[in-house]
Amino acid sequence: MFSVLQNFLNQFASPVPYFQLKMIQMAATVNRDIWFQNNADLFATSINDVDVMTWLITQPDILDKCLNNSFGLTMLAQSTTASTAILTHDPAVTLWKQATNLWSIWPNHTAGMTVLAKSSELMSYVAASSTAMTAVAASSTAMTAVAASSTAMTAVAASSTAMTAVAASSTALAAIVVSTPARNALMNNNAMLQSVRHRIYNTVIANWTKNKFFIHKENSPSANAAIASPVAFVFALMTKFDSSDTYTNILNHPNNMRAYLATRASGNVSHSALTTLDVVSFNGANFVGTEIGCYSYIELWTPPA
């Protein structure tokens, strides 16, 4: 009688002892898919408790079994408390990185991705992995979280692996083009942005909308006003009349960082197509040409509705 009462007392006094009992049961079961489905409410509720997660991350064998079960991993990724506990504990992070279905599950859950996006170290790890970044770039949930974080986007913008994945994903580009932190991170790493400009263009022309296309001559306030909106990527061909250094044709990003300085001389030719893609930027960019011999052909592409 006393042991029964003590067991009840333990359950009501703290969720840890009962959760510990259930985790031992889970670890011993033959089919963990069935266990997690039958105990989904218990597990999901328990891992939102800080004390429970403090215990779980110190039990590597049990945590490993949770992370390597699709149902368990999904519930962990759906919990901010659980995600924070796992991703701020080195041994747990090691197990997390090794989870079998990590990149088919984690990018689809806002809580887990929001926690992940706060970590410069972890985002650098993700950005360096083609598998991880391809999965993240393909998920609107993941990219919304990443694009909203300056920390995450700084890591992405610094990685050629990450930028290759992002540039090939319409989903990723759509999240980036509407996000100030994402745009700033790419503009601040202009060399990396320009290195994937052709890939970005090839991605957006597949299913985005060409909103405007026109020719810009010299320092034209009307042209800059025209590309102030809507939210879009700006692509341009830029030339100048001759090779003289006495005048320039420049595109500045919306944050005033220089995107491109035209050095190619084309003579007095007004282009009517994007036969050469010199630069990519965003709406709000500014073209500055000091002479009438500065020519730019400009296209704005807006994301799918």
Side-chain angles (χ1 to χ4, degrees):
M1 180 66 74
F2 175 78
S3 64
V4 171
L5 292 173
Q6 185 63 51
N7 186 42
F8 275 114
L9 177 62
N10 289 341
Q11 292 181 38
F12 287 111
S14 168
V16 175
Y18 184 60
F19 184 74
Q20 179 179 353
L21 176 66
K22 297 298 287 185
M23 287 294 93
I24 292 172
Q25 180 190 86
M26 178 276 295
T29 193
V30 174
N31 192 319
R32 296 191 184 98
D33 284 354
I34 294 174
W35 187 94
F36 275 105
Q37 290 179 74
N38 288 343
N39 294 274
D41 290 342
L42 166 71
F43 188 78
T45 300
S46 297
I47 61 175
N48 280 316
D49 185 282
V50 173
D51 291 335
V52 165
M53 285 307 304
T54 299
W55 175 82
L56 182 57
I57 61 175
T58 62
Q59 310 299 314
D61 290 344
I62 293 175
L63 177 60
D64 185 62
K65 290 177 173 62
C66 294
L67 289 169
N68 281 288
N69 179 274
S70 293
F71 295 103
L73 181 60
T74 296
M75 286 184 277
L76 291 168
Q78 290 171 338
S79 166
T80 299
T81 300
S83 299
T84 300
I86 292 169
L87 297 181
T88 55
H89 186 260
D90 281 345
V93 168
T94 299
L95 295 176
W96 174 82
K97 289 178 179 178
Q98 297 169 352
T100 303
N101 295 318
L102 179 62
W103 297 114
S104 64
I105 292 175
W106 203 270
N108 298 318
H109 301 286
T110 299
M113 283 305 307
T114 300
V115 173
L116 175 58
K118 294 177 181 179
S119 169
S120 175
E121 180 180 352
L122 289 176
M123 278 305 306
S124 294
Y125 163 78
V126 172
S129 166
S130 178
T131 298
M133 270 309 307
T134 298
V136 168
S139 167
S140 59
T141 298
M143 280 307 305
T144 297
V146 169
S149 167
S150 295
T151 297
M153 282 306 305
T154 296
V156 169
S159 166
S160 60
T161 298
M163 287 302 297
T164 297
V166 163
S169 169
S170 177
T171 298
L173 295 175
I176 286 171
V177 79
V178 299
S179 167
T180 298
R183 288 162 61 119
N184 281 334
L186 297 190
M187 290 186 288
N188 288 337
N189 202 326
N190 185 60
M192 186 67 75
L193 174 61
Q194 301 309 323
S195 74
V196 293
R197 66 186 184 277
H198 291 96
R199 186 179 291 263
I200 293 174
Y201 186 72
N202 290 335
T203 298
V204 303
I205 63 175
N207 64 345
W208 290 38
T209 301
K210 191 193 311 189
N211 186 270
K212 296 173 183 174
F213 53 98
F214 51 85
I215 301 161
H216 159 55
K217 296 181 180 180
E218 62 178 320
N219 190 6
S220 172
S222 60
N224 288 330
I227 63 170
S229 64
V231 171
F233 275 106
V234 170
F235 301 94
L237 176 158
M238 297 174 61
T239 63
K240 58 183 184 176
F241 180 72
D242 59 35
S243 59
S244 170
D245 292 331
T246 60
Y247 61 85
T248 56
N249 193 9
I250 296 171
L251 172 64
N252 291 324
H253 285 305
N255 68 351
N256 292 321
M257 299 290 291
R258 177 174 293 183
Y260 186 73
L261 168 64
T263 58
R264 187 173 66 257
S266 63
N268 192 14
V269 176
S270 186
H271 296 278
S272 59
L274 198 64
T275 53
T276 300
L277 174 56
D278 290 320
V279 62
V280 59
S281 187
F282 302 94
N283 63 292
N286 283 280
F287 289 87
V288 181
T290 58
E291 297 288 342
I292 60 172
C294 295
Y295 295 104
S296 300
Y297 173 80
I298 309 160
E299 295 182 355
L300 271 73
W301 287 83
T302 57

